[in-house]
Amino acid sequence: MNSVANADVGLIGLAVMGENLALNIADHGFKVAVFNRTQKVMQSFIDRNPGTPGGLVGCANLHEFVSALKRPRKVIILVKAGPAVDTVIQELLQSGIETEDIIIDCGNSLWTDTIRREKEYSGQCRFLGSGVSGGELGARFGPSLMPGGEFHAWKQIEPIWNSIAAKVDVKSGKPIENAQPGNPVNEGVPCTTYIGENGAGHYVKMVHNAIEYVDMQLICEAYFLLKQSLNLKSIELSEIFSEWNKGDLDSYLIQITSDILAQSDPFNPEEFLVDNLLDSAQQKGTGKWTSVNALDMGMPVNSIVEAVFARYLSSLKNERVEASKHLQGPTYSYQGNRNELVRAVREALHCSKICAYAQGFQLMRQAQVEHHWQLDFAAIANIWRGGCIIRARFLQKISEAFTRDAKLVNLMLDPYFNEKIKQGQASWRTVISVAAQSGIAAPAFMSALAYYDGYRSEFLPANLLQGQRDYFGAHTYERIDKPRGTFFHMDWSSASREQITIDFD
Ligand code: NBP
């Protein structure tokens, strides 16, 4: 039993993320009190980790845990997102947590839950929601941290967040990745910043995850297109991705893709592991939440939604196996130059990726209006440069774009990205045509191009759509030669077909 209140911070939930984050914090010299519902998990954690620089204090119950913390107490919760978070908060409030104490939910909570919790627990504690990205390794050696909530509460945890976050090099913006247990990275710019009030941190983390979905799906489509069209072996594909990682596409996801593709199968060492993995993907919900939110707000995040659907379609494995016996595809097979297709797929990947990020940032722009947040998009891109799964050279360019113009309406309109799409779009279209002719599904590539072509079109066929809606449902229409907000209806059923102006007042 620990009776001295000398721990700098407390952490509840010692599964993968909690365990690693606690060690990261302790490595930076902070004393961490830890608690886990299942006691033997906590005890095993303490036993396995003696002598961390800051020190760990194992607590047998929440009263002991709360008593171990310096005031104002700072408690990180890293339990399964959902009802467990409320259970833990309620238990903390019954165990001595006071008004000035700060509870930080670092799980993948739905941002609307964070907004609700901030209100619900107001006056009982100060509540923050912080996105944590980077998985297990990020938590251990430097994640990207996206905190939201009451600003003064954030200032209290800022020194810890700055210490434990991933760091990027001041000049190049590249992640500094040489942390070791007990020897963390301390120099460089921390990948964390105050995001905004109430649920802003969790919202931005959710969009980060959704962009991650598209990034992964695009890479998978690039892999599959090259594999199918050129009949390449996994090791050849690994070399291609490794080469791509030296240019504009330099990123953690491209790097791990190359590594995965080079891995031999432990069961069959003559074969590659990836060729023996089931083509059925799961998901945990952040991509779906983003898609639902985008639909609610009326924002066209085509590629994000397609990336979620692609996982759903992949999971219909049995149906697909059956359908493959009945549904005919084309007989076309690519006969062109190998290197040209490799180059074109790289361009297609780059252009589609620009569209995916454009959609994510466009969505956040709309969300800040709805929720009265003031999001700093350059800062958000900055903190995604290191620690998180989507870390990439590309993020530096996004940061520069929003630094040039903080009010940039769409990333594709930034001169740098505009030029990149201009350079790559012929190849992008070629790749999509190869995919379509070959019968290879490439939903993220295709939806990204549709987004690009739709967004850059002064005219879309929604004029006809207005006519159709008015014809069958008297939904009215606006005209190009009248001010916006002036509505008309055609009396389609009568012989005279008179047009009347509708006054909605
Ligand atoms: P899990 O999401 O698997 O949650 C397991 C932890 O929650 C255990 O410590 C468990 O305690 C505790 N817990 C549960 Br379940 N119900 C509880 C309750 N009612 N009261 C107290 N504790 C309870 O752990 P994780 O994968 O480490 O993720 C933690 C959070 O971080 C999640 O929100 C996750 O979405 C998020 N996240 C995860 C990753 C990742 O890569 N895994 C990345 C980024 C964010 P027990 O030991 O007693 O069962």
Side-chain angles (χ1 to χ4, degrees):
M1 162 106 187
N2 174 67
S3 56
V4 190
N6 62 2
D8 299 294
V9 61
L11 189 146
I12 299 176
L14 292 170
V16 181
M17 291 301 282
E19 199 179 289
N20 284 292
L21 201 71
L23 290 173
N24 181 358
I25 300 170
D27 267 358
H28 284 88
F30 298 100
K31 184 170 235 168
V32 192
V34 292
F35 174 78
N36 193 76
R37 179 181 60 176
T38 306
Q39 273 296 288
K40 63 175 194 271
V41 173
M42 185 276 288
Q43 201 49 57
S44 149
F45 174 64
I46 296 291
D47 294 345
R48 280 182 285 115
N49 295 288
T52 54
L56 300 167
V57 183
C59 301
N61 56 59
L62 281 177
H63 282 286
E64 192 179 317
F65 174 83
V66 170
S67 308
L69 299 171
K70 286 183 199 162
R71 287 163 196 254
R73 302 177 183 98
K74 301 165 197 76
V75 178
I76 295 169
I77 302 181
L78 258 165
V79 300
K80 197 176 173 64
V85 176
D86 287 296
T87 305
V88 172
I89 297 172
Q90 298 287 0
E91 287 171 359
L92 277 167
L93 293 173
Q94 287 156 20
S95 305
I97 283 293
E98 294 167 339
T99 320
E100 285 306 302
D101 297 337
I102 302 162
I103 296 180
I104 313 122
D105 173 19
C106 287
N108 266 342
S109 291
L110 182 59
W111 92 103
T112 47
D113 281 343
T114 305
I115 293 175
R116 191 249 312 150
R117 285 181 184 127
E118 201 205 35
K119 279 196 193 124
E120 198 168 317
Y121 302 117
S122 164
Q124 301 178 77
C125 68
R126 293 188 284 166
F127 185 74
L128 296 173
S130 180
V132 177
S133 176
E136 184 178 348
L137 278 177
R140 179 67 186 89
F141 297 113
S144 173
L145 296 166
M146 292 151 255
E150 191 212 312
F151 183 74
H152 296 291
W154 150 248
K155 292 308 278 180
Q156 298 273 344
I157 65 157
E158 189 178 12
I160 302 175
W161 255 231
N162 282 343
S163 298
I164 64 171
K167 308 286 187 302
V168 294
D169 183 71
V170 181
K171 276 197 185 144
S172 68
K174 284 192 162 185
I176 306 170
E177 288 180 339
N178 54 358
Q180 298 291 326
N183 188 16
V185 172
N186 286 313
E187 79 275 25
V189 183
C191 292
T192 186
T193 189
Y194 176 70
I195 302 289
E197 288 178 355
N198 51 60
H202 273 140
Y203 186 87
V204 167
K205 169 62 168 49
M206 176 190 76
V207 175
H208 160 283
N209 281 25
I211 291 173
E212 179 186 309
Y213 271 56
V214 194
D215 228 337
M216 292 167 74
Q217 176 64 24
L218 288 169
I219 291 171
C220 291
E221 289 177 17
Y223 146 79
F224 203 55
L225 254 158
L226 290 175
K227 180 182 156 83
Q228 300 286 86
S229 305
L230 300 174
N231 203 18
L232 295 180
K233 292 200 181 72
S234 196
I235 193 68
E236 295 172 286
L237 290 157
S238 167
E239 283 156 14
I240 290 169
F241 278 97
S242 174
E243 198 52 41
W244 289 358
N245 206 35
K246 295 174 189 154
D248 285 337
L249 290 172
D250 173 3
S251 65
Y252 172 71
L253 281 170
I254 295 280
Q255 177 208 319
I256 66 164
T257 299
S258 173
D259 203 16
I260 293 164
L261 290 168
Q263 176 64 49
S264 60
D265 187 344
F267 288 161
N268 308 289
E270 303 296 301
E271 297 172 16
F272 287 95
L273 176 68
V274 73
D275 294 329
N276 294 330
L277 300 183
L278 186 70
D279 55 330
S280 173
Q282 309 221 325
Q283 48 108 21
K284 276 193 164 174
T286 40
K288 185 181 94 176
W289 292 347
T290 309
S291 305
V292 170
N293 171 248
L295 289 169
D296 283 344
M297 292 200 298
M299 294 309 289
V301 295
N302 311 30
S303 312
I304 290 174
V305 178
E306 280 298 348
V308 179
F309 285 162
R311 291 199 192 185
Y312 290 157
L313 193 60
S314 82
S315 71
L316 302 179
K317 175 71 178 174
N318 293 343
E319 279 185 50
R320 288 192 287 112
V321 170
E322 195 51 35
S324 71
K325 296 173 193 155
H326 305 285
L327 303 179
Q328 189 85 46
T331 51
Y332 172 88
S333 73
Y334 178 76
Q335 299 297 330
N337 180 281
R338 175 199 190 272
N339 291 345
E340 266 173 32
L341 188 65
V342 171
R343 225 179 358 259
V345 172
R346 188 195 62 206
E347 295 291 348
L349 182 50
H350 192 205
C351 291
S352 304
K353 189 168 158 144
I354 294 170
C355 290
Y357 280 72
Q359 291 166 29
F361 278 87
Q362 195 179 19
L363 186 67
M364 290 191 283
R365 241 179 108 243
Q366 184 60 26
Q368 77 166 343
V369 174
E370 302 237 344
H371 296 286
H372 311 291
W373 296 325
Q374 289 188 321
L375 303 180
D376 180 338
F377 298 119
I380 290 170
N382 274 340
I383 67 167
W384 288 353
R385 291 178 303 175
C388 62
I389 305 295
I390 61 172
R391 63 184 179 267
R393 182 194 286 198
F394 191 75
L395 263 316
Q396 176 69 24
K397 295 293 178 195
I398 297 182
S399 167
E400 288 166 16
F402 283 110
T403 303
R404 272 191 288 278
D405 179 4
K407 292 193 163 52
L408 184 64
V409 171
N410 189 299
L411 201 56
M412 298 186 298
L413 295 172
D414 171 75
Y416 171 83
F417 289 110
N418 187 351
E419 186 55 35
K420 285 290 171 190
I421 296 185
K422 215 182 279 173
Q423 287 167 10
Q425 71 167 293
S427 302
W428 190 13
R429 292 179 195 282
T430 301
V431 166
I432 282 172
S433 129
V434 169
Q437 288 186 75
S438 313
I440 299 170
F445 275 162
M446 290 179 177
S447 69
L449 183 62
Y451 173 77
Y452 176 69
D453 281 336
Y455 192 78
R456 66 178 189 82
S457 295
E458 185 181 354
F459 295 106
L460 289 171
N463 51 341
L464 176 57
L465 217 140
Q466 285 212 83
Q468 291 166 335
R469 292 185 73 241
D470 190 59
Y471 195 108
F472 63 69
H475 292 301
T476 75
Y477 49 80
E478 291 175 278
R479 299 180 50 99
I480 55 173
D481 52 1
K482 298 288 175 201
R484 291 298 304 264
T486 313
F487 293 90
F488 299 89
H489 168 60
M490 175 74 76
D491 188 2
W492 297 98
S493 56
S494 85
S496 61
R497 295 221 158 160
E498 278 178 39
Q499 177 181 263
I500 52 168
T501 309
I502 305 291
D503 188 355
F504 282 113
D505 290 336

